[in-house]
Amino acid sequence: MATVVRLLSLAAAVAGIFLLSFWIGRYPLHLADVPLILLSHLPGLSITPHWPKVADIVVMDVRLPRLTAALLVGMALSASGAAYQGVFRNPMVSPDILGVAAGASFGASLAILCNADIVVIQLAAFGSGLLAVAMTYAIVVLRRGRSDGVLMLVLVGIIVDIVFSALVALLKYAADPDSTLPEITFWLMGSLASVSMRDLTAAAVPILIGCALLSLLRWRLNVLSFGDEEAKAMGVNVRAVRGIVILGATLMTSAAVAVAGVVSLIGLVVPHLTRMIVGPNHALLLPASMLFGAGFLLVVDDLARTLGSGEIPLGILSSLIGAPIFLYLLLKTARAWT
Amino acid sequence: MNAALPPLIELSGVACGYDRHAVLADIEFSMDKGELVCLLGPNGVGKTTLFKTILRLLPPLAGIIKIGGENAAGWSARRFARMIGYVPQVHTLPFSFSVLDVVVMGRVAHLGTFAAPSRKDRSHAEMALEALSIGHLRDRIYTEISGGERQLVLVARALTQEPDLLVLDEPTSNLDYGNQVAVLGHIRRLASEYGIGVIMTTHDPNQALDYATAVVAIDRNRMLHVGKPAEIVSEAYLNETYGVRARIMRMKMDGETRRFCLPLQRGAVAAPFKDTQSCA
């Protein structure tokens, strides 16, 4: 019971941040208008608009997709980070471990270089993110031998990551320094500035599927932390569980990177921070990480669009905020690792 | 034992090893519930290989392993785990789970794929902790308790699987003397009182002599000797297998004859054999 209460209060806090974030931005909105504008779009409710048309556009077409994107992306990166840390039995693992971010960056860069439409850029990022992880996984599974599956996954993941990062660098080298190169560079820095409702619905599907897969298997993730042999002897089909978790986490991360670009460190810091608060049991850690991640990215995005005169890229800001938090955690818990 | 009942576990003509390279061959062995079998042998002769084959972590290269009279080769991991519980050597974990969390995980073989443990599973885990007199550790952090306590927690975790056979990997290694005696006492009680079959590996011939109902000893030539402890753990076996001249002592206590061995040489020992694996 206590855990349900904790999760519900966390969810309420995230919902509060979500609503408050509507007031943040260049265009000033009247305090009472935001809930009314949102409600006026619900079917069956007839609320006579007394606000300017532009307020409606700001809320519905600019801030609602952006805030929802922050919510979904933060949730996706944190959930997959928590899941990967469980699968790889290592709290220092981030969702990039199997090459998904480098893969997605490559797809997006290639599409930008070809002057593709934003939809194509996002599809290319999503597809090549999946491809990179599929390559890592296939190499490990198809190989014969008996060495540790987790270690091989991590090592092959590093190699795939190196290859795709090099390919991204190659594309940047080939790009036009006046047009496509800055575009690639900005995309890689991460942003939620141009998210539309259509992008969001497309990204929500893989994110929610991944979310469901991880949620269903979350308690079983605990058993994997004893290592393959013990988990197997305890009656768990290790390969199947690990495969499904990797699939779910990859769907989520790929879709998140496709929408928001590379927003690093959230997938590493948030699960770690959450574990210090709620403990390592994934039955609670996973949903709590999702909520923490959603709230964290909402706040970071609020700062991204208010701190400077222009927008600060999300990837830069999340790193600048996440790194000190992570360093603090590291110094505080360093004793436990010696 | 009821003669009509098939043995708890039966290995016939089993060969085991890695990658089609047999380390041990023609293994014939069976045991019943309530027995405590010690698996004895020097490093590198295939003790771990046999151990992993019994646990189905390695596929047998030949022969059949029957559990309760049934060939277990095609069993799901789940069904297997309900019959055989594995107790690994004391280890540490990357995450600081509570003791109860760790023990409840033993229920995974009894739960649906997407299910989480219920209150009933938790009370199962608590009973297992009580049975090993470590109920007070329930809310402690697994990584913060002592080695002996952690070993008992791992036994408790295996007990919540409700297995008929418990397989323990050197349960007293890395434990201080007091914890060794405590852990062995609990293991013996699981066999004699709860009727669970126990297979444990050990490096200590005294444990085999004093606790086991049967011994499987592997010698330097990778031959298996199966029998009563007093027959198998002999002065000749210790000398031939470990190069140690030892005397088996007998002591009558409460009408029971207990045996233990004492090495005779007290000075420098002739260089012990090299690991056969590194020779091969």
Side-chain angles (χ1 to χ4, degrees), chain B residues 71-106:
Chain B
N71 189 344
W75 287 13
S76 68
R78 220 172 120 78
R79 180 167 179 205
F80 191 81
R82 291 180 185 188
M83 286 297 285
I84 298 189
Y86 168 41
V87 182
Q89 283 184 33
V90 178
H91 52 45
T92 178
L93 283 175
F95 303 119
S96 44
F97 289 113
S98 77
V99 164
L100 189 67
D101 277 348
V102 168
V103 177
V104 165
M105 286 183 220

PDB file of all heavy atoms in Angstrom, chain B residues 71-106:
ATOM      1  N   ASN B  71      13.054 -38.449 -17.376  1.00  0.00           N
ATOM      2  CA  ASN B  71      14.154 -37.760 -18.051  1.00  0.00           C
ATOM      3  C   ASN B  71      13.901 -36.250 -18.032  1.00  0.00           C
ATOM      4  O   ASN B  71      12.894 -35.774 -18.541  1.00  0.00           O
ATOM      5  CB  ASN B  71      14.249 -38.263 -19.498  1.00  0.00           C
ATOM      6  CG  ASN B  71      15.503 -37.742 -20.186  1.00  0.00           C
ATOM      7  OD1 ASN B  71      16.138 -36.803 -19.704  1.00  0.00           O
ATOM      8  ND2 ASN B  71      15.859 -38.346 -21.298  1.00  0.00           N
ATOM      9  N   ALA B  72      14.839 -35.518 -17.432  1.00  0.00           N
ATOM     10  CA  ALA B  72      14.607 -34.083 -17.222  1.00  0.00           C
ATOM     11  C   ALA B  72      15.098 -33.227 -18.384  1.00  0.00           C
ATOM     12  O   ALA B  72      14.985 -32.008 -18.338  1.00  0.00           O
ATOM     13  CB  ALA B  72      15.277 -33.633 -15.924  1.00  0.00           C
ATOM     14  N   ALA B  73      15.632 -33.875 -19.443  1.00  0.00           N
ATOM     15  CA  ALA B  73      16.273 -33.107 -20.516  1.00  0.00           C
ATOM     16  C   ALA B  73      15.320 -32.090 -21.145  1.00  0.00           C
ATOM     17  O   ALA B  73      15.720 -30.978 -21.462  1.00  0.00           O
ATOM     18  CB  ALA B  73      16.822 -34.056 -21.564  1.00  0.00           C
ATOM     19  N   GLY B  74      14.053 -32.474 -21.315  1.00  0.00           N
ATOM     20  CA  GLY B  74      13.134 -31.582 -22.016  1.00  0.00           C
ATOM     21  C   GLY B  74      12.368 -30.638 -21.108  1.00  0.00           C
ATOM     22  O   GLY B  74      11.532 -29.877 -21.572  1.00  0.00           O
ATOM     23  N   TRP B  75      12.643 -30.684 -19.820  1.00  0.00           N
ATOM     24  CA  TRP B  75      11.881 -29.850 -18.888  1.00  0.00           C
ATOM     25  C   TRP B  75      12.150 -28.368 -19.102  1.00  0.00           C
ATOM     26  O   TRP B  75      13.258 -27.971 -19.459  1.00  0.00           O
ATOM     27  CB  TRP B  75      12.252 -30.198 -17.442  1.00  0.00           C
ATOM     28  CG  TRP B  75      11.720 -31.509 -16.968  1.00  0.00           C
ATOM     29  CD1 TRP B  75      11.171 -32.494 -17.735  1.00  0.00           C
ATOM     30  CD2 TRP B  75      11.713 -31.985 -15.614  1.00  0.00           C
ATOM     31  NE1 TRP B  75      10.825 -33.558 -16.944  1.00  0.00           N
ATOM     32  CE2 TRP B  75      11.140 -33.272 -15.638  1.00  0.00           C
ATOM     33  CE3 TRP B  75      12.125 -31.446 -14.398  1.00  0.00           C
ATOM     34  CZ2 TRP B  75      10.975 -34.034 -14.488  1.00  0.00           C
ATOM     35  CZ3 TRP B  75      11.969 -32.203 -13.254  1.00  0.00           C
ATOM     36  CH2 TRP B  75      11.382 -33.484 -13.298  1.00  0.00           C
ATOM     37  N   SER B  76      11.131 -27.563 -18.826  1.00  0.00           N
ATOM     38  CA  SER B  76      11.342 -26.116 -18.868  1.00  0.00           C
ATOM     39  C   SER B  76      12.177 -25.715 -17.654  1.00  0.00           C
ATOM     40  O   SER B  76      12.238 -26.442 -16.653  1.00  0.00           O
ATOM     41  CB  SER B  76       9.997 -25.393 -18.825  1.00  0.00           C
ATOM     42  OG  SER B  76       9.387 -25.583 -17.559  1.00  0.00           O
ATOM     43  N   ALA B  77      12.809 -24.546 -17.749  1.00  0.00           N
ATOM     44  CA  ALA B  77      13.618 -24.037 -16.624  1.00  0.00           C
ATOM     45  C   ALA B  77      12.757 -23.930 -15.375  1.00  0.00           C
ATOM     46  O   ALA B  77      13.193 -24.197 -14.262  1.00  0.00           O
ATOM     47  CB  ALA B  77      14.205 -22.676 -16.993  1.00  0.00           C
ATOM     48  N   ARG B  78      11.511 -23.547 -15.592  1.00  0.00           N
ATOM     49  CA  ARG B  78      10.555 -23.378 -14.502  1.00  0.00           C
ATOM     50  C   ARG B  78      10.296 -24.683 -13.768  1.00  0.00           C
ATOM     51  O   ARG B  78      10.378 -24.758 -12.547  1.00  0.00           O
ATOM     52  CB  ARG B  78       9.254 -22.952 -15.178  1.00  0.00           C
ATOM     53  CG  ARG B  78       8.453 -21.943 -14.537  1.00  0.00           C
ATOM     54  CD  ARG B  78       7.357 -21.623 -15.566  1.00  0.00           C
ATOM     55  NE  ARG B  78       6.082 -21.908 -14.951  1.00  0.00           N
ATOM     56  CZ  ARG B  78       5.516 -21.090 -14.085  1.00  0.00           C
ATOM     57  NH1 ARG B  78       6.117 -19.979 -13.750  1.00  0.00           N
ATOM     58  NH2 ARG B  78       4.364 -21.374 -13.550  1.00  0.00           N
ATOM     59  N   ARG B  79       9.984 -25.732 -14.537  1.00  0.00           N
ATOM     60  CA  ARG B  79       9.665 -27.020 -13.922  1.00  0.00           C
ATOM     61  C   ARG B  79      10.893 -27.564 -13.197  1.00  0.00           C
ATOM     62  O   ARG B  79      10.796 -28.119 -12.101  1.00  0.00           O
ATOM     63  CB  ARG B  79       9.212 -27.998 -15.013  1.00  0.00           C
ATOM     64  CG  ARG B  79       8.879 -29.336 -14.428  1.00  0.00           C
ATOM     65  CD  ARG B  79       8.130 -30.207 -15.413  1.00  0.00           C
ATOM     66  NE  ARG B  79       7.861 -31.495 -14.771  1.00  0.00           N
ATOM     67  CZ  ARG B  79       7.668 -32.619 -15.424  1.00  0.00           C
ATOM     68  NH1 ARG B  79       7.705 -32.617 -16.740  1.00  0.00           N
ATOM     69  NH2 ARG B  79       7.440 -33.739 -14.776  1.00  0.00           N
ATOM     70  N   PHE B  80      12.063 -27.401 -13.835  1.00  0.00           N
ATOM     71  CA  PHE B  80      13.311 -27.879 -13.254  1.00  0.00           C
ATOM     72  C   PHE B  80      13.574 -27.187 -11.909  1.00  0.00           C
ATOM     73  O   PHE B  80      13.952 -27.816 -10.928  1.00  0.00           O
ATOM     74  CB  PHE B  80      14.451 -27.603 -14.238  1.00  0.00           C
ATOM     75  CG  PHE B  80      15.740 -28.279 -13.884  1.00  0.00           C
ATOM     76  CD1 PHE B  80      15.950 -29.613 -14.194  1.00  0.00           C
ATOM     77  CD2 PHE B  80      16.745 -27.585 -13.232  1.00  0.00           C
ATOM     78  CE1 PHE B  80      17.134 -30.248 -13.866  1.00  0.00           C
ATOM     79  CE2 PHE B  80      17.935 -28.208 -12.893  1.00  0.00           C
ATOM     80  CZ  PHE B  80      18.127 -29.541 -13.216  1.00  0.00           C
ATOM     81  N   ALA B  81      13.331 -25.877 -11.899  1.00  0.00           N
ATOM     82  CA  ALA B  81      13.625 -25.095 -10.682  1.00  0.00           C
ATOM     83  C   ALA B  81      12.693 -25.456  -9.533  1.00  0.00           C
ATOM     84  O   ALA B  81      13.000 -25.207  -8.376  1.00  0.00           O
ATOM     85  CB  ALA B  81      13.528 -23.598 -10.985  1.00  0.00           C
ATOM     86  N   ARG B  82      11.540 -26.038  -9.847  1.00  0.00           N
ATOM     87  CA  ARG B  82      10.654 -26.463  -8.760  1.00  0.00           C
ATOM     88  C   ARG B  82      11.123 -27.762  -8.136  1.00  0.00           C
ATOM     89  O   ARG B  82      10.669 -28.150  -7.069  1.00  0.00           O
ATOM     90  CB  ARG B  82       9.243 -26.662  -9.298  1.00  0.00           C
ATOM     91  CG  ARG B  82       8.568 -25.387  -9.707  1.00  0.00           C
ATOM     92  CD  ARG B  82       7.210 -25.729 -10.219  1.00  0.00           C
ATOM     93  NE  ARG B  82       6.532 -24.558 -10.746  1.00  0.00           N
ATOM     94  CZ  ARG B  82       5.268 -24.593 -11.108  1.00  0.00           C
ATOM     95  NH1 ARG B  82       4.578 -25.697 -10.997  1.00  0.00           N
ATOM     96  NH2 ARG B  82       4.705 -23.514 -11.592  1.00  0.00           N
ATOM     97  N   MET B  83      12.011 -28.478  -8.826  1.00  0.00           N
ATOM     98  CA  MET B  83      12.524 -29.745  -8.305  1.00  0.00           C
ATOM     99  C   MET B  83      13.911 -29.584  -7.690  1.00  0.00           C
ATOM    100  O   MET B  83      14.247 -30.253  -6.727  1.00  0.00           O
ATOM    101  CB  MET B  83      12.599 -30.786  -9.432  1.00  0.00           C
ATOM    102  CG  MET B  83      11.263 -31.343  -9.850  1.00  0.00           C
ATOM    103  SD  MET B  83      10.444 -32.245  -8.528  1.00  0.00           S
ATOM    104  CE  MET B  83      11.387 -33.764  -8.510  1.00  0.00           C
ATOM    105  N   ILE B  84      14.725 -28.730  -8.304  1.00  0.00           N
ATOM    106  CA  ILE B  84      16.111 -28.602  -7.872  1.00  0.00           C
ATOM    107  C   ILE B  84      16.423 -27.151  -7.534  1.00  0.00           C
ATOM    108  O   ILE B  84      16.244 -26.254  -8.357  1.00  0.00           O
ATOM    109  CB  ILE B  84      17.072 -29.102  -8.969  1.00  0.00           C
ATOM    110  CG1 ILE B  84      16.803 -30.583  -9.218  1.00  0.00           C
ATOM    111  CG2 ILE B  84      18.522 -28.857  -8.571  1.00  0.00           C
ATOM    112  CD1 ILE B  84      17.789 -31.255 -10.108  1.00  0.00           C
ATOM    113  N   GLY B  85      16.892 -26.923  -6.310  1.00  0.00           N
ATOM    114  CA  GLY B  85      17.278 -25.578  -5.901  1.00  0.00           C
ATOM    115  C   GLY B  85      18.799 -25.463  -5.873  1.00  0.00           C
ATOM    116  O   GLY B  85      19.484 -26.350  -5.374  1.00  0.00           O
ATOM    117  N   TYR B  86      19.311 -24.374  -6.410  1.00  0.00           N
ATOM    118  CA  TYR B  86      20.765 -24.176  -6.495  1.00  0.00           C
ATOM    119  C   TYR B  86      21.182 -23.130  -5.467  1.00  0.00           C
ATOM    120  O   TYR B  86      20.627 -22.033  -5.418  1.00  0.00           O
ATOM    121  CB  TYR B  86      21.105 -23.734  -7.914  1.00  0.00           C
ATOM    122  CG  TYR B  86      22.515 -23.218  -8.132  1.00  0.00           C
ATOM    123  CD1 TYR B  86      23.620 -23.828  -7.538  1.00  0.00           C
ATOM    124  CD2 TYR B  86      22.735 -22.118  -8.961  1.00  0.00           C
ATOM    125  CE1 TYR B  86      24.902 -23.354  -7.767  1.00  0.00           C
ATOM    126  CE2 TYR B  86      24.013 -21.646  -9.203  1.00  0.00           C
ATOM    127  CZ  TYR B  86      25.090 -22.259  -8.588  1.00  0.00           C
ATOM    128  OH  TYR B  86      26.356 -21.781  -8.818  1.00  0.00           O
ATOM    129  N   VAL B  87      22.173 -23.490  -4.655  1.00  0.00           N
ATOM    130  CA  VAL B  87      22.724 -22.535  -3.699  1.00  0.00           C
ATOM    131  C   VAL B  87      24.157 -22.222  -4.113  1.00  0.00           C
ATOM    132  O   VAL B  87      25.047 -23.046  -3.946  1.00  0.00           O
ATOM    133  CB  VAL B  87      22.699 -23.096  -2.267  1.00  0.00           C
ATOM    134  CG1 VAL B  87      23.241 -22.072  -1.281  1.00  0.00           C
ATOM    135  CG2 VAL B  87      21.293 -23.517  -1.875  1.00  0.00           C
ATOM    136  N   PRO B  88      24.387 -21.055  -4.688  1.00  0.00           N
ATOM    137  CA  PRO B  88      25.736 -20.714  -5.133  1.00  0.00           C
ATOM    138  C   PRO B  88      26.634 -20.357  -3.953  1.00  0.00           C
ATOM    139  O   PRO B  88      26.158 -20.232  -2.828  1.00  0.00           O
ATOM    140  CB  PRO B  88      25.511 -19.497  -6.022  1.00  0.00           C
ATOM    141  CG  PRO B  88      24.285 -18.863  -5.466  1.00  0.00           C
ATOM    142  CD  PRO B  88      23.438 -19.969  -4.923  1.00  0.00           C
ATOM    143  N   GLN B  89      27.910 -20.197  -4.246  1.00  0.00           N
ATOM    144  CA  GLN B  89      28.830 -19.707  -3.214  1.00  0.00           C
ATOM    145  C   GLN B  89      28.443 -18.270  -2.851  1.00  0.00           C
ATOM    146  O   GLN B  89      27.895 -17.551  -3.677  1.00  0.00           O
ATOM    147  CB  GLN B  89      30.264 -19.720  -3.735  1.00  0.00           C
ATOM    148  CG  GLN B  89      30.864 -21.094  -3.742  1.00  0.00           C
ATOM    149  CD  GLN B  89      32.319 -21.077  -4.177  1.00  0.00           C
ATOM    150  OE1 GLN B  89      33.037 -20.128  -3.905  1.00  0.00           O
ATOM    151  NE2 GLN B  89      32.738 -22.128  -4.856  1.00  0.00           N
ATOM    152  N   VAL B  90      28.752 -17.892  -1.632  1.00  0.00           N
ATOM    153  CA  VAL B  90      28.434 -16.540  -1.181  1.00  0.00           C
ATOM    154  C   VAL B  90      28.978 -15.534  -2.191  1.00  0.00           C
ATOM    155  O   VAL B  90      30.121 -15.623  -2.618  1.00  0.00           O
ATOM    156  CB  VAL B  90      29.081 -16.264   0.191  1.00  0.00           C
ATOM    157  CG1 VAL B  90      28.783 -14.844   0.619  1.00  0.00           C
ATOM    158  CG2 VAL B  90      28.548 -17.228   1.206  1.00  0.00           C
ATOM    159  N   HIS B  91      28.124 -14.609  -2.587  1.00  0.00           N
ATOM    160  CA  HIS B  91      28.577 -13.618  -3.555  1.00  0.00           C
ATOM    161  C   HIS B  91      28.094 -12.260  -3.116  1.00  0.00           C
ATOM    162  O   HIS B  91      27.416 -12.110  -2.108  1.00  0.00           O
ATOM    163  CB  HIS B  91      28.060 -13.948  -4.948  1.00  0.00           C
ATOM    164  CG  HIS B  91      26.571 -14.182  -5.001  1.00  0.00           C
ATOM    165  ND1 HIS B  91      25.651 -13.384  -4.368  1.00  0.00           N
ATOM    166  CD2 HIS B  91      25.847 -15.155  -5.597  1.00  0.00           C
ATOM    167  CE1 HIS B  91      24.436 -13.832  -4.593  1.00  0.00           C
ATOM    168  NE2 HIS B  91      24.521 -14.918  -5.316  1.00  0.00           N
ATOM    169  N   THR B  92      28.434 -11.271  -3.893  1.00  0.00           N
ATOM    170  CA  THR B  92      27.900  -9.956  -3.617  1.00  0.00           C
ATOM    171  C   THR B  92      27.051  -9.560  -4.808  1.00  0.00           C
ATOM    172  O   THR B  92      27.078 -10.198  -5.842  1.00  0.00           O
ATOM    173  CB  THR B  92      29.031  -8.960  -3.324  1.00  0.00           C
ATOM    174  OG1 THR B  92      28.441  -7.677  -3.096  1.00  0.00           O
ATOM    175  CG2 THR B  92      30.018  -8.883  -4.449  1.00  0.00           C
ATOM    176  N   LEU B  93      26.234  -8.548  -4.662  1.00  0.00           N
ATOM    177  CA  LEU B  93      25.304  -8.152  -5.709  1.00  0.00           C
ATOM    178  C   LEU B  93      25.566  -6.714  -6.105  1.00  0.00           C
ATOM    179  O   LEU B  93      26.036  -5.923  -5.297  1.00  0.00           O
ATOM    180  CB  LEU B  93      23.861  -8.251  -5.192  1.00  0.00           C
ATOM    181  CG  LEU B  93      23.227  -9.628  -5.105  1.00  0.00           C
ATOM    182  CD1 LEU B  93      21.851  -9.518  -4.462  1.00  0.00           C
ATOM    183  CD2 LEU B  93      23.096 -10.237  -6.484  1.00  0.00           C
ATOM    184  N   PRO B  94      25.244  -6.362  -7.368  1.00  0.00           N
ATOM    185  CA  PRO B  94      25.439  -4.968  -7.769  1.00  0.00           C
ATOM    186  C   PRO B  94      24.434  -4.028  -7.112  1.00  0.00           C
ATOM    187  O   PRO B  94      24.668  -2.834  -7.024  1.00  0.00           O
ATOM    188  CB  PRO B  94      25.240  -5.007  -9.285  1.00  0.00           C
ATOM    189  CG  PRO B  94      24.424  -6.229  -9.540  1.00  0.00           C
ATOM    190  CD  PRO B  94      24.797  -7.203  -8.485  1.00  0.00           C
ATOM    191  N   PHE B  95      23.291  -4.573  -6.671  1.00  0.00           N
ATOM    192  CA  PHE B  95      22.246  -3.725  -6.097  1.00  0.00           C
ATOM    193  C   PHE B  95      21.969  -4.137  -4.660  1.00  0.00           C
ATOM    194  O   PHE B  95      22.045  -5.305  -4.317  1.00  0.00           O
ATOM    195  CB  PHE B  95      20.970  -3.829  -6.926  1.00  0.00           C
ATOM    196  CG  PHE B  95      21.149  -3.483  -8.362  1.00  0.00           C
ATOM    197  CD1 PHE B  95      20.896  -4.406  -9.348  1.00  0.00           C
ATOM    198  CD2 PHE B  95      21.612  -2.230  -8.730  1.00  0.00           C
ATOM    199  CE1 PHE B  95      21.078  -4.095 -10.687  1.00  0.00           C
ATOM    200  CE2 PHE B  95      21.790  -1.896 -10.062  1.00  0.00           C
ATOM    201  CZ  PHE B  95      21.526  -2.833 -11.046  1.00  0.00           C
ATOM    202  N   SER B  96      21.614  -3.189  -3.835  1.00  0.00           N
ATOM    203  CA  SER B  96      21.438  -3.476  -2.410  1.00  0.00           C
ATOM    204  C   SER B  96      20.002  -3.892  -2.096  1.00  0.00           C
ATOM    205  O   SER B  96      19.257  -3.160  -1.461  1.00  0.00           O
ATOM    206  CB  SER B  96      21.847  -2.260  -1.585  1.00  0.00           C
ATOM    207  OG  SER B  96      21.317  -1.083  -2.167  1.00  0.00           O
ATOM    208  N   PHE B  97      19.636  -5.088  -2.543  1.00  0.00           N
ATOM    209  CA  PHE B  97      18.314  -5.630  -2.237  1.00  0.00           C
ATOM    210  C   PHE B  97      18.216  -5.948  -0.748  1.00  0.00           C
ATOM    211  O   PHE B  97      19.217  -6.300  -0.117  1.00  0.00           O
ATOM    212  CB  PHE B  97      18.082  -6.920  -3.014  1.00  0.00           C
ATOM    213  CG  PHE B  97      17.889  -6.733  -4.487  1.00  0.00           C
ATOM    214  CD1 PHE B  97      18.827  -7.197  -5.385  1.00  0.00           C
ATOM    215  CD2 PHE B  97      16.758  -6.106  -4.974  1.00  0.00           C
ATOM    216  CE1 PHE B  97      18.657  -7.032  -6.746  1.00  0.00           C
ATOM    217  CE2 PHE B  97      16.579  -5.935  -6.336  1.00  0.00           C
ATOM    218  CZ  PHE B  97      17.524  -6.400  -7.219  1.00  0.00           C
ATOM    219  N   SER B  98      17.004  -5.906  -0.216  1.00  0.00           N
ATOM    220  CA  SER B  98      16.805  -6.360   1.153  1.00  0.00           C
ATOM    221  C   SER B  98      16.828  -7.890   1.165  1.00  0.00           C
ATOM    222  O   SER B  98      16.621  -8.531   0.130  1.00  0.00           O
ATOM    223  CB  SER B  98      15.474  -5.849   1.697  1.00  0.00           C
ATOM    224  OG  SER B  98      14.415  -6.616   1.170  1.00  0.00           O
ATOM    225  N   VAL B  99      17.099  -8.461   2.344  1.00  0.00           N
ATOM    226  CA  VAL B  99      17.153  -9.913   2.465  1.00  0.00           C
ATOM    227  C   VAL B  99      15.837 -10.534   2.013  1.00  0.00           C
ATOM    228  O   VAL B  99      15.817 -11.514   1.263  1.00  0.00           O
ATOM    229  CB  VAL B  99      17.498 -10.307   3.916  1.00  0.00           C
ATOM    230  CG1 VAL B  99      17.184 -11.770   4.171  1.00  0.00           C
ATOM    231  CG2 VAL B  99      18.968 -10.022   4.208  1.00  0.00           C
ATOM    232  N   LEU B 100      14.717  -9.928   2.427  1.00  0.00           N
ATOM    233  CA  LEU B 100      13.423 -10.498   2.050  1.00  0.00           C
ATOM    234  C   LEU B 100      13.225 -10.459   0.533  1.00  0.00           C
ATOM    235  O   LEU B 100      12.741 -11.422  -0.066  1.00  0.00           O
ATOM    236  CB  LEU B 100      12.281  -9.746   2.759  1.00  0.00           C
ATOM    237  CG  LEU B 100      10.910 -10.411   2.608  1.00  0.00           C
ATOM    238  CD1 LEU B 100      10.867 -11.743   3.330  1.00  0.00           C
ATOM    239  CD2 LEU B 100       9.798  -9.514   3.118  1.00  0.00           C
ATOM    240  N   ASP B 101      13.634  -9.347  -0.104  1.00  0.00           N
ATOM    241  CA  ASP B 101      13.544  -9.260  -1.568  1.00  0.00           C
ATOM    242  C   ASP B 101      14.299 -10.415  -2.224  1.00  0.00           C
ATOM    243  O   ASP B 101      13.823 -11.034  -3.163  1.00  0.00           O
ATOM    244  CB  ASP B 101      14.145  -7.932  -2.064  1.00  0.00           C
ATOM    245  CG  ASP B 101      13.146  -6.781  -1.976  1.00  0.00           C
ATOM    246  OD1 ASP B 101      11.959  -7.056  -1.758  1.00  0.00           O
ATOM    247  OD2 ASP B 101      13.577  -5.622  -2.115  1.00  0.00           O
ATOM    248  N   VAL B 102      15.520 -10.682  -1.706  1.00  0.00           N
ATOM    249  CA  VAL B 102      16.346 -11.743  -2.290  1.00  0.00           C
ATOM    250  C   VAL B 102      15.655 -13.093  -2.142  1.00  0.00           C
ATOM    251  O   VAL B 102      15.562 -13.869  -3.087  1.00  0.00           O
ATOM    252  CB  VAL B 102      17.743 -11.778  -1.624  1.00  0.00           C
ATOM    253  CG1 VAL B 102      18.498 -13.043  -2.017  1.00  0.00           C
ATOM    254  CG2 VAL B 102      18.544 -10.547  -1.997  1.00  0.00           C
ATOM    255  N   VAL B 103      15.137 -13.376  -0.939  1.00  0.00           N
ATOM    256  CA  VAL B 103      14.551 -14.692  -0.685  1.00  0.00           C
ATOM    257  C   VAL B 103      13.258 -14.864  -1.484  1.00  0.00           C
ATOM    258  O   VAL B 103      13.001 -15.937  -2.037  1.00  0.00           O
ATOM    259  CB  VAL B 103      14.325 -14.889   0.829  1.00  0.00           C
ATOM    260  CG1 VAL B 103      13.662 -16.218   1.098  1.00  0.00           C
ATOM    261  CG2 VAL B 103      15.656 -14.816   1.561  1.00  0.00           C
ATOM    262  N   VAL B 104      12.461 -13.802  -1.589  1.00  0.00           N
ATOM    263  CA  VAL B 104      11.207 -13.895  -2.349  1.00  0.00           C
ATOM    264  C   VAL B 104      11.482 -14.255  -3.813  1.00  0.00           C
ATOM    265  O   VAL B 104      10.682 -14.917  -4.463  1.00  0.00           O
ATOM    266  CB  VAL B 104      10.420 -12.566  -2.248  1.00  0.00           C
ATOM    267  CG1 VAL B 104       9.334 -12.500  -3.305  1.00  0.00           C
ATOM    268  CG2 VAL B 104       9.789 -12.424  -0.879  1.00  0.00           C
ATOM    269  N   MET B 105      12.647 -13.845  -4.334  1.00  0.00           N
ATOM    270  CA  MET B 105      12.949 -14.143  -5.741  1.00  0.00           C
ATOM    271  C   MET B 105      12.996 -15.638  -6.007  1.00  0.00           C
ATOM    272  O   MET B 105      12.832 -16.079  -7.138  1.00  0.00           O
ATOM    273  CB  MET B 105      14.259 -13.477  -6.139  1.00  0.00           C
ATOM    274  CG  MET B 105      14.097 -11.978  -6.307  1.00  0.00           C
ATOM    275  SD  MET B 105      15.619 -11.234  -6.860  1.00  0.00           S
ATOM    276  CE  MET B 105      15.631  -9.744  -5.909  1.00  0.00           C
ATOM    277  N   GLY B 106      13.209 -16.449  -4.956  1.00  0.00           N
ATOM    278  CA  GLY B 106      13.151 -17.893  -5.129  1.00  0.00           C
ATOM    279  C   GLY B 106      11.786 -18.378  -5.599  1.00  0.00           C
ATOM    280  O   GLY B 106      11.648 -19.481  -6.110  1.00  0.00           O
TER     281      GLY B 106
END
